[in-house]
Amino acid sequence: MLTETGNNIVKYIQERQGATAKELVDFLLISPQAVFKQLKKLQEKGLITKFGSPPKVFYVLAGEKQAVVGLQDKNVSKYINDNYLYITPDGLLLEGVGGFVYWCQRNGFEPNKTAREYVATSKKYAAFRHNGLIDGRTKLAQTFKDVYLDKLFYLDFYSIERFGKTKLGAMLLYAKQSQDKKLIKQIGGMTYHGGQKLIKNENIQAVGFIPPTVDRKIQLQKELEKFFALSLPKVKIFKAVNQIAVPQKSLNRLPDRIINARNTIFVGEVQPFRTILLIDDAVGSGATLN
């Protein structure tokens, strides 16, 4: 049962289709602490939902609650909890079984059957993984006449059929778009050990981070470089932008991508290293790295 204050908050939010905590304080004429206490209780009861992050937080009535559905198979549940992430159209990040069931319900899929299909599809791609890394050399050899990389590794695929972006793929996309440092740090945590293993196994002597084309206040590659804090010598790589900055992903033809990479990416001070690790945030055709 709600208190009188709780009922007044729900009514106010319903009438205005949303409100901030400050608006509620001004309306109710009570302390901010009392308002936040009531808001917390209403969220716990599933009556309201919070959007945004301080200082811009907005409270709205929760939509019609989805039935809470668990998954019958514990092994399937564990796999999905470890590997699945869904970001809703309005920006909520839902991980594991909860996110998967939510996605199923939105698309009209039966969760248990779909969960088994998700695991089977994911494990099909896991067959390409060895020692935690995916070998991409075959892709290069099939794409380019001249291949200049000795090896190419992915930490994960960007997406898989039917189920869309992988956990890492989704986080990468939205971390770049939202310039969210918290998401970028999570990506760093997910990729750090794979990178360290690669550096050790391949006897890496130097590292270079591929620079971005689009100028953003917070650059994912720069943040990852700080997060990794590698003690290896750095190969300085620069991206030259002409009159118009043209990202690789905006080009459909492979020859155009090659021209873009060849004519806009430059190495600064050249030093002799036997084995260099080049790090890019995502690989499409592979033209930039090659």
Side-chain angles (χ1 to χ4, degrees):
M1 182 177 292
L2 296 181
T3 63
E4 182 181 354
T5 302
N7 276 316
N8 288 336
I9 290 175
V10 170
K11 186 177 179 182
Y12 185 92
I13 292 174
Q14 185 177 30
E15 289 175 350
R16 288 159 180 76
Q17 297 185 334
T20 64
K22 184 179 184 306
E23 289 171 341
L24 291 167
V25 169
D26 294 340
F27 168 68
L28 296 168
L29 299 177
I30 59 177
S31 70
Q33 291 85 352
V35 167
F36 282 116
K37 184 177 180 180
Q38 290 293 329
L39 289 171
K40 183 179 179 181
K41 289 181 179 179
L42 293 172
Q43 288 178 81
E44 290 173 349
K45 291 178 181 293
L47 296 174
I48 64 173
T49 302
K50 179 175 71 172
F51 289 93
S53 55
K56 297 179 180 179
V57 176
F58 207 66
Y59 296 88
V60 299
L61 291 187
E64 183 177 351
K65 292 179 69 177
Q66 299 278 5
V68 177
V69 179
L71 297 178
Q72 297 166 352
D73 191 314
K74 291 183 179 180
N75 291 328
V76 170
S77 293
K78 184 180 186 309
Y79 187 90
I80 290 178
N81 278 328
D82 291 341
N83 294 282
Y84 189 81
L85 177 144
Y86 177 68
I87 296 176
T88 67
D90 48 7
L92 292 176
L93 190 152
L94 307 176
E95 294 191 73
V97 170
F100 186 82
V101 170
Y102 180 89
W103 176 81
C104 287
Q105 290 174 328
R106 282 197 74 243
N107 290 280
F109 301 141
E110 197 285 311
N112 285 289
K113 176 177 179 292
T114 310
R116 292 191 296 270
E117 293 167 351
Y118 169 76
V119 172
T121 302
S122 299
K123 288 188 174 180
K124 178 179 71 175
Y125 286 97
F128 294 93
R129 194 184 302 274
H130 302 284
N131 296 320
L133 297 168
I134 299 163
D135 191 339
R137 282 178 295 184
T138 302
K139 175 184 174 67
L140 282 179
Q142 292 173 345
T143 305
F144 300 99
K145 179 182 176 182
D146 298 311
V147 177
Y148 302 101
L149 294 171
D150 295 311
K151 296 180 181 180
L152 173 65
F153 295 103
Y154 309 127
L155 283 164
D156 202 355
F157 291 101
Y158 186 67
S159 62
I160 59 177
E161 75 263 22
R162 184 185 176 192
F163 297 99
K165 294 177 187 63
T166 61
K167 184 175 183 177
L168 185 57
M171 292 184 72
L172 175 65
L173 172 65
Y174 290 106
K176 291 176 70 173
Q177 287 186 346
S178 63
Q179 299 189 26
D180 188 323
K181 283 192 174 183
K182 183 179 178 181
L183 274 182
I184 294 173
K185 285 183 178 179
Q186 284 183 264
I187 292 172
M190 292 169 67
T191 58
Y192 178 80
H193 293 293
Q196 290 292 331
K197 186 185 295 184
L198 188 61
I199 288 170
K200 179 180 179 181
N201 292 345
E202 300 295 330
N203 297 314
I204 302 297
Q205 294 184 334
V207 63
F209 287 82
I210 302 299
T213 300
V214 180
D215 187 23
R216 292 187 173 97
K217 185 177 179 180
I218 298 173
Q219 294 289 9
L220 183 137
Q221 287 285 77
K222 285 291 183 184
E223 293 299 317
L224 289 182
E225 185 175 349
K226 287 188 288 186
F227 181 89
F228 292 155
L230 300 175
S231 58
L232 295 168
K234 301 290 191 304
V235 176
K236 295 181 180 179
I237 305 172
F238 303 94
K239 181 79 175 182
V241 176
N242 294 315
Q243 290 172 296
I244 298 174
V246 181
Q248 278 274 332
K249 64 182 179 182
S250 69
L251 300 170
N252 294 322
R253 297 179 65 249
L254 182 61
D256 292 340
R257 289 186 168 219
I258 293 172
I259 290 171
N260 177 283
R262 183 176 289 150
N263 294 346
T264 64
I265 298 176
F266 301 93
V267 177
E269 182 182 352
V270 178
Q271 299 179 55
F273 295 108
R274 189 165 57 249
T275 312
I276 299 172
L277 172 63
L278 297 175
I279 299 177
D280 206 351
D281 53 11
V283 178
S285 66
T288 298
L289 289 172
N290 195 44

